[in-house]
Amino acid sequence: MELSKKRRSTEIFRLNGEEFEFNVREPGTDERLKYLASIARKINGKILSGLEEKFKAKYEFGCELITGFPENNSDGKPQFQFEEKPVSSDKSSPNYREDWRELILPLFMNPIMIYSTKIFDGIDVNDIKLKLEAKGIPESEELSDESPLGITS
């Protein structure tokens, strides 16, 4: 295994039945600690954690781990287009848009929160879905692809 400070890889996010590939990196120790601190508040000596803080932290810290995306999909077509023009996260591309994060990432809020849950909390929602299916337990609304709770496949 090759060791490096920041491991980079790709992650597939599913949205409306389509797959989109994103380049991602592993968080550093400081980022992990900041994530944990952001989801908990201390009031009267007790640590409290609310859903709002958790969802916000999952999305914001997840976005920071996304470093870009391949300009074209496996068919050679642009993954993303805006006003009928291809969008790229690669600064060397003529299709590069400086605002690619603001343009694209909000569309992937649920998949980003799922990715954050896997990376920061060590919980893989897809594994949970597979275990439920194996036991014959039907998928609930909370585990569906359209869930407002940020749980999708």
Side-chain angles (χ1 to χ4, degrees):
M1 170 161 70
E2 184 179 328
L3 299 176
S4 67
K5 279 192 160 196
K6 300 270 183 179
R7 288 196 345 231
R8 297 178 186 275
S9 62
T10 59
E11 189 75 21
I12 302 294
F13 291 162
R14 290 174 184 83
L15 184 68
N16 299 326
E18 291 186 60
E19 292 185 347
F20 298 88
E21 186 176 351
F22 284 89
N23 303 322
V24 295
R25 66 174 178 79
E26 291 285 322
T29 302
D30 287 348
E31 287 172 302
R32 290 181 186 277
L33 293 172
K34 286 177 185 174
Y35 168 79
L36 291 172
S38 72
I39 63 172
R41 304 177 277 173
K42 204 170 191 180
I43 298 176
N44 295 330
K46 294 183 179 182
I47 295 177
L48 305 175
S49 184
L51 283 177
E52 183 178 340
E53 288 89 357
K54 286 182 182 178
F55 286 158
K56 183 177 178 185
K58 286 179 189 303
Y59 178 69
E60 289 176 358
F61 281 85
C63 285
E64 290 300 315
L65 300 180
I66 297 172
T67 60
F69 52 87
E71 190 169 336
N72 298 317
N73 62 24
S74 59
D75 297 334
K77 296 178 183 173
Q79 272 206 105
F80 302 105
Q81 291 184 333
F82 182 71
E83 296 177 348
E84 298 181 22
K85 295 178 186 171
V87 175
S88 176
S89 62
D90 181 354
K91 289 182 180 182
S92 66
S93 169
N95 299 316
Y96 175 72
R97 286 193 56 131
E98 194 170 320
D99 64 346
W100 69 266
R101 289 178 164 280
E102 294 80 18
L103 195 63
I104 293 169
L105 296 185
L107 302 173
F108 290 87
M109 184 177 282
N110 287 350
I112 289 170
M113 289 193 300
I114 288 172
Y115 178 67
S116 291
T117 300
K118 180 170 84 173
I119 297 301
F120 288 105
D121 301 325
I123 300 169
D124 191 338
V125 173
N126 293 319
D127 284 348
I128 293 170
K129 288 173 75 171
L130 290 173
K131 288 175 184 173
L132 290 173
E133 288 171 10
K135 291 183 178 185
I137 300 171
E139 188 174 295
S140 70
E141 183 178 324
E142 288 81 18
L143 293 177
S144 75
D145 286 346
E146 302 303 321
S147 173
L149 297 175
I151 301 175
T152 63
S153 56

